[in-house]
């Protein structure tokens, strides 16, 4: 496929629509993309360079870290910390926010990232990815935790890179969603999926069925109706898909529709939800809504939640508009 629109050109042409734009955001995005290209190379090389397997440590969430969790976190930090575009960063892999050293200039943006989403899949050669979110920050300040705790609706940009058969970047700056494929021959992301839109109707759902006994009644009801197929109240058959890699499940929904559920459950009162609002739920909700879908906890819009911590977890239900709307209605009538 011949396509001459590179990611850089695409962002610059968007920037021209804003006469007061300084170009700083374009440079920041280029730095994020450079980090993701490095991560793609590490993921692709795998055991050839000894980066697979457990690191023998845990992250702030108490989850066992893979070697690549640590390596990809360091790649993101090292690519972004010196640029002068950021006031601070936050990573899923560490407890506290990351400050910019005094000998580097500070910028007007904050970046939050999950450097390797789906890392439990890395040793079995399934798709993994990087998720990132960009917020504005007051210029000339040393940001505190409160500066990071913005609602998802305040995001400037959100995106993810999926490292699969091809490396793809999906990006929104609040003007729709576009997909770019990495051309390995020239090292550039090329626009291959312009104006991505999620079909409003779907017959696919993605959920971890092993947790079924812990779900709340509205989710139990919805999934049971899907499983009943043509013989049930929905009158049609559904397919179930579950990759256990958030980026892979979301990319599938963006390209052919579907609904993804990681709902609240009663298994562990201390951890009623799985996905982190700052590194996973907010950026994906921004992307999904920009592509015409919906994203909710079941009871409230994800992008309207006021975060209480940078590692806060929330239930997530997102995807095709009509199916998510049905799940919301089931919660409202419960």
């Amino acid at each position: 496929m011949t396509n001459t629109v590179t990611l850089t050109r695409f962002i610059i042409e968007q920037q021209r629509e804003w006469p007061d734009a300084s170009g700083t955001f374009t440079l920041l995005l280029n730095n994020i993309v450079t980090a993701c290209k490095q991560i793609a190379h590490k993921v692709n090389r795998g055991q050839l360079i000894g980066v697979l397997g457990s690191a023998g440590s845990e992250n702030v969430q108490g989850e066992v870290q893979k070697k690549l969790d640590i390596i990809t976190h360091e790649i993101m930090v090292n690519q972004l910390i010196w640029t002068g575009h950021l006031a601070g960063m936050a990573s899923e892999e560490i407890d506290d926010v990351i400050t910019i050293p005094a000998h580097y200039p500070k910028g007007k943006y904050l970046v939050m990232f999950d450097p390797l989403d789906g890392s439990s899949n890395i040793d079995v050669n399934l798709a993994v990815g990087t998720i990132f979110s960009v917020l504005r920050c007051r210029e000339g300040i040393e940001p505190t935790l409160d500066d990071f705790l913005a609602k998802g609706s305040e995001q400037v940009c959100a995106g993810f890179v999926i490292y699969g058969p091809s490396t793809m970047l999906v990006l929104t700056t609040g003007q729709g969603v576009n997909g770019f494929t990495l051309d390995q021959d020239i090292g550039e992301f090329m626009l291959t999926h312009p104006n991505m839109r999620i079909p409003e109707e779907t017959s696919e759902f993605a959920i971890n069925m092993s947790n079924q006994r812990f779900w709340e009644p509205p989710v139990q009801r919805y999934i049971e109706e899907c499983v009943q197929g043509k013989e049930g109240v929905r009158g049609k058959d559904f397919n179930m898909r579950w990759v256990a890699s958030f980026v892979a499940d979301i990319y599938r929904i963006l390209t052919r529709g579907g609904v993804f559920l990681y709902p609240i459950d009663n298994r562990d009162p201390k951890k009623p939800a799985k996905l982190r609002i700052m590194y996973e739920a907010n950026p994906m909700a921004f992307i999904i809504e920009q592509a015409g879908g919906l994203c909710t906890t079941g009871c409230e819009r994800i992008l309207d939640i006021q975060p209480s911590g940078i590692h806060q977890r929330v239930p997530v239900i997102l995807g095709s508009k009509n199916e998510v709307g049905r799940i919301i209605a089931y919660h409202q009538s419960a």
Side-chain angles (χ1 to χ4, degrees):
M1 177 179 179
T2 300
N3 193 317
T4 59
V5 180
T6 66
L7 173 62
T8 301
R9 173 180 170 181
F10 180 85
I11 296 298
I12 289 174
E13 288 180 347
Q14 278 198 336
Q15 179 186 305
R16 288 173 179 163
E17 299 178 13
W18 305 89
D20 296 331
S22 65
T24 301
F25 174 73
T26 301
L27 295 173
L28 170 59
L29 190 56
N30 279 336
N31 290 121
I32 294 173
V33 167
T34 298
C36 291
K37 289 176 186 177
Q38 292 182 351
I39 293 171
H41 178 70
K42 295 288 188 183
V43 170
N44 182 256
R45 298 284 287 168
Q47 197 57 37
L48 293 173
I49 55 174
V51 296
L52 300 187
S54 172
S57 58
E58 294 183 350
N59 65 12
V60 65
Q61 307 292 332
E63 299 164 336
V64 175
Q65 289 179 307
K66 299 291 187 179
K67 293 177 184 177
L68 271 172
D69 284 319
I70 298 171
I71 292 169
T72 55
H73 165 82
E74 292 174 348
I75 287 172
M76 291 293 289
V77 171
N78 291 338
Q79 273 295 328
L80 298 176
I81 201 164
W82 59 271
T83 63
H85 310 317
L86 294 178
M89 292 179 280
S91 169
E92 184 185 284
E93 294 301 322
I94 63 172
D95 194 4
D96 298 320
V97 299
I98 302 165
T99 58
I100 306 300
H103 57 279
Y104 292 134
K106 289 185 177 62
K108 58 181 179 181
Y109 294 106
L110 301 171
V111 169
M112 289 160 288
F113 52 84
D114 178 355
L116 195 67
D117 174 74
S119 59
S120 62
N121 284 327
I122 193 67
D123 292 338
V124 292
N125 203 29
L126 295 179
V128 294
T130 298
I131 308 172
F132 61 90
S133 170
V134 181
L135 295 168
R136 287 190 179 88
C137 184
R138 296 169 291 159
E139 286 195 71
I141 67 151
E142 186 68 46
T144 65
L145 180 61
D146 287 341
D147 291 297
F148 286 84
L149 299 180
K151 294 181 179 180
S153 57
E154 298 178 31
Q155 292 172 101
V156 176
C157 167
F160 67 88
V161 176
I162 181 169
Y163 312 113
S166 60
T167 297
M168 288 203 61
L169 166 69
V170 174
L171 182 73
T172 185
T173 57
Q175 301 176 66
V177 178
N178 293 278
F180 304 81
T181 302
L182 180 62
D183 185 333
Q184 300 283 359
D185 290 337
I186 62 174
E188 290 281 359
F189 278 100
M190 312 300 292
L191 178 64
T192 52
H193 295 66
N195 192 30
M196 301 178 79
R197 301 292 296 177
I198 300 171
E200 293 186 0
E201 298 285 349
T202 185
S203 57
E204 287 189 351
F205 66 95
I207 195 166
N208 186 347
M209 290 292 289
S210 68
N211 295 329
Q212 183 173 10
R213 64 195 184 279
F214 302 115
W215 300 335
E216 55 190 347
V219 175
Q220 295 270 13
R221 174 186 174 185
Y222 176 77
I223 297 300
E224 179 60 29
E225 290 178 354
C226 291
V227 171
Q228 288 171 357
K230 288 182 179 179
E231 292 72 31
V233 297
R234 298 299 303 276
K236 66 176 182 178
D237 290 330
F238 282 76
N239 291 325
M240 193 192 84
R241 299 287 184 265
W242 182 254
V243 185
S245 171
F246 199 26
V247 291
D249 282 314
I250 297 308
Y251 182 72
R252 185 186 59 252
I253 288 171
L254 284 168
T255 53
R256 70 185 195 199
V259 60
F260 171 95
L261 304 94
Y262 215 125
I264 193 169
D265 66 47
N266 61 16
R267 177 175 26 179
D268 182 353
K270 295 180 180 178
K271 294 181 179 179
K274 171 70 174 178
L275 299 177
R276 292 78 169 174
I277 188 169
M278 307 305 294
Y279 312 107
E280 296 164 318
N282 272 347
M284 290 305 197
F286 191 18
I287 291 168
I288 291 294
E289 289 198 5
Q290 284 292 310
L294 292 179
C295 191
T296 179
T297 64
C299 298
E300 62 182 321
R301 180 183 180 228
I302 294 283
L303 295 180
D304 288 339
I305 297 173
Q306 176 60 59
S308 59
I310 58 171
H311 296 292
Q312 178 184 349
R313 298 172 186 253
V314 293
V316 174
I317 300 166
L318 58 79
S320 294
K321 184 176 181 180
N322 291 345
E323 291 302 305
V324 177
R326 177 183 289 270
I327 298 168
I328 293 172
Y330 287 177
H331 280 82
Q332 291 173 342
S333 63

